[in-house]
């Protein structure tokens, strides 16, 4: 019998998963898998709860919630050098990594993947000693995930992110930044930058069509300074994936990236608050094993 630890966020995605917890446990038990559920009420709980893995070996760790829950769970495994596969049950308002990897939300399908045991080693990003799975960012949109009201997220879901993003446009300001990517230097006043391991951020699809999570590269999307009117147009084009038609939008790939600014600018890692600039970012190839559908 395979054994799994399950970290679940009871409020993620309007709290739907907690009402289906028994259904998931039954689906796993039907496949001869034992699940030990651990409820987390804050991100500070995650390392405390997962520390049980040091005295009780398991076949895998499962995380049910949004990108924040996945981020905290993966960071514990990576920081503690615990080499067990991570299983993702995408039950948050936004599940960008799961969407990019085409992971199912249906509980029976999730149970089938975990029980089968197939997993793949994926790249992760590291910034100033912290790991991220999907994206590191700063500038316009980077604070949207923190400022969206929880009730609004529960009611409107992904639409809440879109509405908040458009609300931020009239207040945007450019940031003087210097980005050094594998030796190439880009220095300008910028509206935002995204350093992506995957290609979906904030539920916006096709932000980096070439992105892969196993290519040893990170994808950098930069929006250079532009007028308010132009920025509104770029925001709309993000929804359709046509943003690269704008000359103000630039895309590069790199393994090592340094981002600097003369201003005190905070960052965002997978929807969680990250360190202030400067950011020393690098890709760590094939660092995290993730349960996936077999090729």
């Amino acid at each position: 019998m395979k054994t799994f630890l399950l970290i679940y966020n009871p409020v993620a995605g309007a709290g739907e998963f907690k009402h289906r917890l028994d259904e998931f446990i039954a689906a796993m038990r039907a496949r001869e898998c034992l699940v030990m559920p651990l409820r987390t009420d804050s991100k500070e709980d995650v390392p405390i709860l997962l520390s049980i893995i040091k005295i009780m070996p398991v076949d895998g760790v499962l995380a049910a919630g949004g990108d924040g829950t996945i981020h905290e769970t993966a960071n514990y495994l990576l920081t503690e050098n615990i080499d067990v596969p991570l299983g993702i049950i995408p039950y948050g308002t936004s599940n960008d990594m799961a969407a990019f990897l085409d992971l199912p939300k249906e509980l029976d399908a999730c149970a089938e993947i975990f029980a089968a045991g197939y997993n793949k080693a994926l790249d992760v990003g590291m910034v100033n000693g912290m790991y991220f799975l999907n994206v590191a960012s700063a500038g316009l949109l980077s604070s949207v995930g923190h400022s969206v009201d929880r009730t609004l997220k529960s009611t409107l879901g992904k639409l809440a992110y879109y509405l908040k993003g458009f609300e931020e446009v009239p207040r945007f300001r450019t940031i003087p930044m210097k980005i050094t990517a594998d030796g190439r230097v880009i220095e300008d006043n910028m509206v935002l930058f995204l350093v992506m391991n995957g290609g979906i951020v904030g539920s916006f699809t096709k932000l980096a069509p070439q992105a892969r999570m196993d290519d040893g590269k990170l994808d950098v999307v930069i929006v250079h300074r532009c007028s308010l009117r132009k920025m509104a147009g770029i925001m709309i084009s993000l929804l359709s994936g046509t943003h690269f038609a704008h000359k103000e939008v630039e895309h590069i790939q790199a393994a090592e990236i340094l981002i600097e600014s003369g201003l005190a600018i905070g960052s965002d890692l997978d929807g969680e608050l990250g360190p202030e600039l400067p950011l020393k970012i690098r890709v760590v190839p094939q660092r995290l094993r993730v349960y996936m559908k077999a090729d």
Side-chain angles (χ1 to χ4, degrees):
M1 178 174 284
K2 294 181 180 178
T3 304
F4 298 86
L5 282 181
L6 166 64
I7 289 284
Y8 74 96
N9 183 341
V11 300
E16 181 184 356
F17 181 78
K18 66 182 178 184
H19 299 297
R20 303 186 64 185
L21 176 59
D22 191 64
E23 175 188 343
F24 175 69
I25 292 175
M28 292 291 283
R29 184 173 179 180
R31 293 169 171 83
E32 298 186 351
C33 295
L34 174 67
V35 176
M36 292 172 284
L38 303 172
R39 171 187 170 126
T40 172
D41 292 314
S42 69
K43 65 179 183 179
E44 289 77 15
D45 289 345
V46 174
I48 298 172
L49 294 170
L50 281 177
S51 63
I52 192 174
I53 200 172
K54 294 182 177 180
I55 59 174
M56 185 178 62
V58 296
D59 293 285
V61 171
L62 313 178
D67 290 318
T69 303
I70 309 305
H71 171 88
E72 295 297 335
T73 304
N75 255 273
Y76 180 83
L77 297 178
L78 293 167
T79 302
E80 298 295 323
N81 291 310
I82 298 173
D83 184 24
V84 298
L86 172 66
I88 299 174
I89 306 173
Y91 263 75
T93 303
S94 181
N95 291 97
D96 293 334
M97 182 177 174
F100 184 73
L101 294 174
D102 192 29
L103 300 179
K105 180 178 180 179
E106 295 77 14
L107 294 181
D108 198 66
C110 288
E112 187 66 29
I113 289 173
F114 304 149
Y118 178 78
N119 59 84
K120 188 172 182 178
L122 301 179
D123 302 340
V124 300
M126 174 172 274
V127 51
N128 295 10
M130 301 172 64
Y131 292 98
F132 67 92
L133 303 183
N134 193 54
V135 62
S137 65
L140 180 68
L141 301 183
S142 65
S143 63
V144 168
H146 311 297
S147 55
V148 175
D149 180 79
R150 178 173 288 178
T151 301
L152 190 65
K153 286 169 65 176
S154 297
T155 305
L156 300 180
K158 292 181 180 180
L159 179 59
Y161 287 97
Y162 297 141
L163 294 176
K164 189 65 179 180
F166 280 102
E167 179 185 307
E168 294 294 320
V169 170
R171 295 193 290 270
F172 89 94
R173 62 189 178 98
T174 58
I175 304 169
M177 284 193 286
K178 178 182 178 181
I179 297 179
T180 306
D182 284 352
R184 176 186 174 186
V185 178
I186 304 169
E187 196 163 3
D188 193 6
N189 282 11
M190 302 175 187
V191 179
L192 67 88
F193 72 82
L194 302 168
V195 180
M196 293 177 286
N197 191 28
I200 299 177
V201 177
S203 301
F204 290 96
T205 60
K206 302 178 182 177
L207 286 186
Q210 297 176 344
R212 292 177 57 89
M213 298 189 79
D214 60 357
D215 60 357
K217 295 285 186 179
L218 296 170
D219 289 72
V220 185
V221 173
I222 302 166
V223 178
H224 293 271
R225 55 182 165 183
C226 58
S227 66
L228 176 61
R229 186 174 187 178
K230 186 70 173 180
M231 189 62 228
I234 292 174
M235 281 288 294
I236 293 172
S237 69
L238 288 173
L239 297 173
S240 59
T242 58
H243 45 293
F244 292 122
H246 299 275
K247 65 180 181 180
E248 295 83 1
V249 182
E250 183 175 3
H251 171 244
I252 56 177
Q253 290 185 310
E256 294 190 6
I257 304 154
L258 174 64
I259 301 176
E260 303 169 278
S261 176
L263 302 178
I265 304 297
S267 67
D268 176 284
L269 305 180
D270 295 334
E272 300 294 309
L273 290 173
E276 287 192 351
L277 274 61
L279 304 179
K280 294 182 179 180
I281 305 173
R282 66 182 178 91
V283 67
V284 187
Q286 300 183 5
R287 182 66 176 81
L288 178 70
R289 290 191 289 143
V290 176
Y291 286 112
M292 300 178 68
K293 292 179 284 188
D295 295 334

